[in-house]
Amino acid sequence: MAVLSIEDKENQELSRRYKELLRISYQTLSKADKQLIREAFNLAVDAHRDQRRKSGEPYVYHPIAVAKIVASEIGMDATSIAAALLHDVVEDTAVTLSDIERMFGKTVAIIVDGLTKISHLSKEKEISTQAENFRKMLLTLNEDIRVIIIKIADRLHNMQTMESMPPEKQVKIASETLYIYAPLAHRIGLYNIKNELEDLGLKYTEPEVYYDIYDKIEETKEERTAYIEDFKNIIKTALDKEDLKYVIKGRHKSIYSIRKKMLGNVSFDEIYDKFAIRIIYESDRKSEKFYAWKIYSIVTDYFRPNPIRLRDWISSPKSTGYEALHITVVGPKGKWVEVQIRSQRMDEIAEKGYAAHYKYKNGEETEIGIETWLKRLQETLENPSGNAVDFVEEFKLNLYAKEIFVFTPKGDLKSLPKGATPLDFAFSIHTNIGLTTRGARVNGKLVPLNHELKSGDQLEIITSPSQKPNANWLDYVITARARSKIKNALKEDNKNIAERGKELLDRKLRHLKIKMDEKVVNELVMFFKLKTSFDLFYRVGIGIIENQKLKDFAAQKSNSFINYFKNKIRKSQSEAVDTTKEEVSSNYDLIVFGKNEEKLNYKVANCCNPIPGDEVFGFVTVSEGIKVHKKDCPNAISMQSNYSYRVIQAKWIDSSQREFKATITITGIDNIGLVNDVTKVISSNMHVNMQSVSFESDNGLFNGKVIVIVRNNTILKRLIEKLKKINGIDKVQRI
Ligand code: MN
């Protein structure tokens, strides 16, 4: 009997794994495909020859396993399989990217490059840079979606083989998986992989919870199998009579989702939809829908359906591409059970997502939801705004958001996340439509821009070229796309204000015989307790830094005795001033009260000493007026419960961002074009929003009333001055 050396055994094992990889491929592989995979396989084996995994097995087993997931579970093409085999080669061995490009061509090289970049990122240790890393990772979506898909497969295999890792590493990797990889897998339509990632994530982050549920599922297995048998037996004859080819399966919910339900204070036994029954039928493309409803009708002949739990994802598929008919019925033994009806094609799409779409797309012109989503995502990624944490959070929200479906005026269907508003809709159609939205009609009725849309609504957006986004809009939208577009527009607006402010400041300082240079600017930033020079220019631009304050600054500057000391302090501080930032930093400097955000006199309470930005409330005292406490002040509960009538809403605001309403009356001699001139002056005046206008003319006299929204008095005064200059205007007054 020949004795095999360890090396021989491993070689034998490698060739077995290679054959299996080809055999389980979801897509049919051509000769050229097999050639490509063979070469990638050989290079991977060769390059990783001397490496072992923590478990002791040859390292190359890992890329092979990832390639298997890519080939079979996700069902990707040969290029992806090759790239998966090579995904760790550049990172961990002497093989270079140009070697890969030379041997396998540009596409494989681009994908491997993307994967190498991500793997560099994940080696960063700082937690604070984690979000930034995720953002960079998402940016690789711009290159090739296959990068992310292979990365998800890589992560899945790492999660499956994490036993031999130190516990703190396990927890870190598992949390990362729950934070970003599972949501991504969900969005790409890889439901099975998402479930597995979540379950494994729970297993390592909360093992007791995981095993507790796992055991309970095991215990109820027999009961469940029997239940599904009962269900089958009842409808079998009726289905068979229709000459349908079908299978009926039961599938329990993932451990992770059962746990999520239990967090809502439901016990394991109380969760009625722990498992669903799936009826998967054969059909050609044309008759799919017809059969689905036929099966529906048979099922509901025997089991009473719950009318509010019917989901028709066949007529309008989810934007992940998911299609099926879901109903909940009173099943055997009077128990509620969800029944999912899908054709074989729909089932493949549900299991494999993206890849299955391609298989069935066959040059059809209809765009699948996932492609629209990717296109939209890429646009958002192209101009990322805000900090990395916000970005990733918003992105994640979009991943999990439930969807609604609304109609355009022409009757086209659009999907939006639940909670979306007409503004979200406008931005989803086109950036320019979003930016110039003036109003919206839902089902023919005018609605406010923050109106929450419902499935089935028909929308019409009213635009006006003079309309501009304002800061409130950020509260009206929920989609990342709209947010980032609005933020960019506001930033642009603020930049213009700051630029004008800079010129204005230069002029004002010259008046005071001060030359504006970097040093003076830094001194002014300190003097007004701001963060950046941009903040300073911006505040001059919108007019909340008054001339008197600048005079105070000049006076203080000329006092050399004080200067001597102040300079010493300032020196160390001014180094911290970043003069390049082009964003207004929020500077909470004022507390306002009540729903109308009124300015009132107040004192800060000694017991909790709230500082700007804290969550606060006002408490009306008998002798000392309003006192402001922190919401988590130790005395808060007793004040709120015993003297609730004395509690008054309060919040810190940034007074430079505050807006108020003003009514202006205009009188003059009525002549042609006057109304036009007035509205032109108002709408072309930066930072003034017109809320309503009414004009009437009476025997050649003209009376107008305009309500505007402005940030401060300076802007209002400037506007009034401009209106007065219009030919024919007699009087302009604020009332
Ligand atoms: Mn890997």
Side-chain angles (χ1 to χ4, degrees):
M1 209 206 297
V3 178
L4 288 174
S5 68
I6 290 177
E7 202 175 317
D8 285 338
K9 266 189 193 157
E10 281 183 2
N11 280 339
Q12 233 178 34
E13 181 59 24
L14 279 175
S15 97
R16 191 187 67 77
R17 291 185 188 214
Y18 173 73
K19 281 181 200 139
E20 196 188 348
L21 172 63
L22 295 188
R23 186 170 50 75
I24 61 177
S25 168
Y26 171 74
Q27 297 199 8
T28 318
L29 300 169
S30 70
K31 224 173 169 186
D33 288 342
K34 285 182 186 161
Q35 180 75 22
L36 176 73
I37 294 169
R38 175 90 242 184
E39 275 164 28
F41 188 90
N42 287 345
L43 179 61
V45 169
D46 205 43
H48 293 297
R49 184 162 298 277
D50 299 323
Q51 292 172 292
R52 302 253 147 197
R53 300 197 85 201
K54 283 250 159 62
S55 59
E57 55 175 29
Y59 188 86
V60 75
Y61 286 5
H62 164 64
I64 297 172
V66 175
K68 276 188 188 164
I69 296 170
V70 167
S72 153
E73 277 184 68
I74 311 180
M76 301 291 284
D77 58 358
T79 309
S80 311
I81 299 173
L85 284 166
L86 299 170
H87 82 267
D88 277 336
V89 155
V90 174
E91 175 69 16
D92 295 343
T93 77
V95 178
T96 66
L97 204 59
S98 44
D99 294 336
I100 304 243
E101 185 169 342
R102 189 165 33 80
M103 295 171 73
F104 300 97
K106 191 124 199 150
T107 316
V108 175
I110 287 175
I111 299 173
V112 173
D113 186 33
L115 288 159
T116 309
K117 278 185 202 147
I118 296 175
S119 127
H120 271 297
L121 290 177
S122 51
K123 285 190 178 142
E124 295 270 342
K125 288 207 180 67
E126 278 289 310
I127 294 172
S128 57
T129 57
Q130 194 70 293
E132 183 55 41
N133 290 343
F134 286 134
R135 170 156 93 177
K136 285 189 190 139
M137 182 178 98
L138 297 172
L139 287 171
T140 61
L141 273 170
N142 264 344
E143 287 159 28
D144 197 314
I145 174 78
R146 286 176 288 193
V147 174
I148 289 292
I149 292 177
I150 296 169
K151 185 66 208 171
I152 290 172
D154 181 31
R155 176 50 60 114
L156 177 61
H157 185 247
N158 284 333
M159 290 289 293
Q160 288 166 338
T161 52
M162 230 169 26
E163 256 96 23
S164 31
M165 282 209 175
E168 70 281 0
K169 253 196 160 165
Q170 290 174 338
V171 172
K172 180 179 176 280
I173 293 175
S175 331
E176 225 178 72
T177 300
L178 291 175
Y179 184 73
I180 195 90
Y181 288 98
L184 264 175
H186 169 86
R187 197 57 189 78
I188 296 172
L190 302 169
Y191 299 112
N192 288 346
I193 290 186
K194 172 216 155 196
N195 285 341
E196 200 178 337
L197 286 174
E198 283 181 342
D199 282 2
L200 287 165
L202 186 66
K203 180 173 156 187
Y204 287 102
T205 51
E206 293 176 84
E208 309 80 32
V209 179
Y210 172 87
Y211 284 110
D212 181 43
I213 298 172
Y214 178 89
D215 291 343
K216 281 185 178 136
I217 290 176
E218 285 298 302
E219 279 164 27
T220 50
K221 206 172 180 175
E222 252 171 62
E223 198 186 311
R224 198 165 56 238
T225 318
Y227 189 86
I228 293 158
E229 275 309 306
D230 282 355
F231 184 93
K232 262 195 218 170
N233 290 336
I234 294 173
I235 56 170
K236 197 174 179 304
T237 337
L239 284 174
D240 288 345
K241 228 190 269 163
E242 298 293 335
D243 223 16
L244 282 163
K245 280 212 179 100
Y246 64 93
V247 282
I248 298 179
K249 290 195 246 184
R251 206 191 151 96
H252 73 76
K253 255 197 164 54
S254 75
I255 297 180
Y256 188 82
S257 57
I258 290 177
R259 186 256 184 170
K260 240 170 60 187
K261 288 228 159 164
M262 288 168 71
L263 283 180
N265 256 334
V266 184
S267 75
F268 182 84
D269 297 316
E270 284 165 338
I271 302 172
Y272 69 86
D273 53 353
K274 277 192 287 277
F275 70 96
I277 287 175
R278 226 168 248 176
I279 305 177
I280 300 157
Y281 58 94
E282 282 178 29
S283 163
D284 58 25
R285 192 67 194 264
K286 266 207 329 263
S287 330
E288 264 182 330
K289 196 170 167 179
F290 174 74
Y291 283 133
W293 287 102
K294 192 168 205 167
I295 296 170
Y296 168 88
S297 136
I298 292 170
V299 171
T300 52
D301 277 348
Y302 293 89
F303 306 110
R304 192 164 49 79
N306 180 340
I308 61 163
R309 292 190 67 96
L310 169 66
R311 299 283 181 275
D312 177 8
W313 302 115
I314 296 179
S315 305
S316 37
K318 290 190 188 180
S319 65
T320 52
Y322 183 79
E323 292 172 64
L325 197 59
H326 289 191
I327 39 166
T328 301
V329 298
V330 182
K333 295 175 188 149
K335 277 196 216 161
W336 287 109
V337 60
E338 183 177 272
V339 182
Q340 306 172 346
I341 302 168
R342 4 163 135 149
S343 71
Q344 240 166 23
R345 180 190 66 87
M346 295 172 197
D347 190 53
E348 269 178 59
I349 286 174
E351 306 263 301
K352 299 208 160 43
Y354 197 63
H357 272 299
Y358 267 121
K359 179 174 161 189
Y360 288 105
K361 206 184 164 193
N362 276 333
E364 259 180 67
E365 76 297 346
T366 49
E367 202 173 55
I368 49 182
I370 186 85
E371 287 179 343
T372 320
W373 177 76
L374 275 173
K375 242 203 273 165
R376 239 189 273 162
L377 176 69
Q378 276 164 359
E379 279 179 52
T380 323
L381 290 170
E382 272 158 23
N383 35 30
S385 60
N387 71 45
V389 177
D390 285 351
F391 177 83
V392 175
E393 279 303 321
E394 271 173 28
F395 178 80
K396 267 168 50 95
L397 274 181
N398 273 0
L399 290 178
Y400 270 139
K402 290 232 165 82
E403 290 165 283
I404 57 161
F405 295 92
V406 297
F407 295 98
T408 68
K410 283 181 189 157
D412 292 337
L413 201 60
K414 274 248 152 203
S415 91
L416 288 169
K418 195 169 175 281
T421 63
L423 259 186
D424 287 304
F425 174 79
F427 277 100
S428 82
I429 304 248
H430 196 281
T431 306
N432 281 336
I433 294 184
L435 291 174
T436 55
T437 297
R438 214 176 140 54
R441 265 191 207 103
V442 169
N443 308 325
K445 257 194 232 149
L446 273 174
V447 296
L449 291 181
N450 60 354
H451 172 90
E452 189 180 326
L453 297 172
K454 281 198 230 52
S455 260
D457 281 347
Q458 184 156 33
L459 259 93
E460 187 192 332
I461 297 294
I462 305 156
T463 61
S464 146
S466 62
Q467 181 67 29
K468 260 189 291 188
N470 62 55
N472 291 339
W473 282 22
L474 289 173
D475 297 332
Y476 296 169
V477 298
I478 64 154
T479 54
R481 180 191 158 87
R483 283 188 80 79
S484 86
K485 298 283 179 193
I486 295 168
K487 274 190 190 161
N488 281 342
L490 291 174
K491 225 161 127 185
E492 212 28 61
D493 214 27
N494 290 346
K495 228 158 108 182
N496 291 335
I497 300 177
E499 261 164 39
R500 224 194 32 204
K502 194 174 172 184
E503 287 164 22
L504 210 65
L505 183 64
D506 188 26
R507 241 181 293 145
K508 287 183 176 182
L509 288 175
R510 252 185 281 153
H511 253 287
L512 297 165
K513 308 261 176 324
I514 298 174
K515 189 175 169 285
M516 186 172 89
D517 56 17
E518 209 186 312
K519 189 168 155 262
V520 169
V521 168
N522 277 337
E523 283 171 5
L524 279 163
V525 169
M526 291 300 161
F527 182 78
F528 288 109
K529 297 195 179 68
L530 300 170
K531 292 203 181 91
T532 66
S533 59
F534 189 85
D535 289 340
L536 174 72
F537 299 147
Y538 173 81
R539 282 171 167 75
V540 175
I542 64 164
I544 56 163
I545 289 184
E546 291 153 10
N547 290 342
Q548 185 52 49
K549 293 256 177 67
L550 286 174
K551 279 181 197 154
D552 293 348
F553 169 75
Q556 174 256 200
K557 199 174 155 55
S558 62
N559 188 336
S560 56
F561 178 70
I562 297 176
N563 262 0
Y564 173 78
F565 292 102
K566 283 209 170 160
N567 262 337
K568 276 192 141 176
I569 307 164
R570 211 173 286 145
K571 230 179 195 163
S572 57
Q573 285 179 328
S574 66
E575 273 146 36
V577 176
D578 178 1
T579 52
T580 55
K581 265 208 172 153
E582 294 204 336
E583 250 172 275
V584 183
S585 34
S586 57
N587 209 356
Y588 298 107
D589 53 359
L590 183 68
I591 297 178
V592 288
F593 297 90
K595 277 216 180 78
N596 297 324
E597 306 198 347
E598 271 173 283
K599 242 163 115 176
L600 301 169
N601 286 332
Y602 63 86
K603 278 184 189 151
V604 161
N606 290 328
C607 50
C608 55
N609 273 319
I611 56 165
D614 279 344
E615 289 209 63
V616 291
F617 65 93
F619 190 73
V620 184
T621 63
V622 185
S623 50
E624 293 178 287
I626 300 173
K627 284 220 163 181
V628 173
H629 294 262
K630 270 159 72 168
K631 280 216 171 129
D632 55 4
C633 169
N635 302 321
I637 295 177
S638 85
M639 282 184 276
Q640 281 166 337
S641 51
N642 297 328
Y643 304 101
S644 64
Y645 58 95
R646 289 188 178 176
V647 170
I648 167 168
Q649 248 180 55
K651 71 173 182 187
W652 283 100
I653 60 156
D654 178 353
S655 62
S656 73
Q657 300 295 319
R658 197 176 182 230
E659 294 181 322
F660 68 93
K661 243 189 244 180
T663 310
I664 304 172
T665 57
I666 305 169
T667 51
I669 300 151
D670 192 10
N671 60 27
I672 298 166
L674 189 65
V675 171
N676 199 13
D677 287 345
V678 170
T679 50
K680 221 160 96 194
V681 164
I682 297 173
S683 61
S684 66
N685 216 313
M686 266 196 298
H687 334 306
V688 177
N689 253 307
M690 203 165 15
Q691 203 182 48
S692 81
V693 209
S694 63
F695 293 118
E696 51 189 45
S697 83
D698 179 23
N699 287 329
L701 280 182
F702 165 94
N703 277 306
K705 195 169 153 191
V706 186
I707 299 176
V708 290
I709 293 169
V710 290
R711 286 222 181 96
N712 56 58
N713 228 342
T714 318
I715 294 173
L716 187 64
K717 278 187 202 150
R718 220 183 281 151
L719 176 71
I720 292 177
E721 284 315 308
K722 278 194 181 158
L723 288 171
K724 278 184 180 162
K725 285 190 186 130
I726 297 172
N727 205 0
I729 295 285
D730 179 32
K731 231 192 213 170
V732 182
Q733 259 182 326
R734 182 183 170 198
I735 50 165

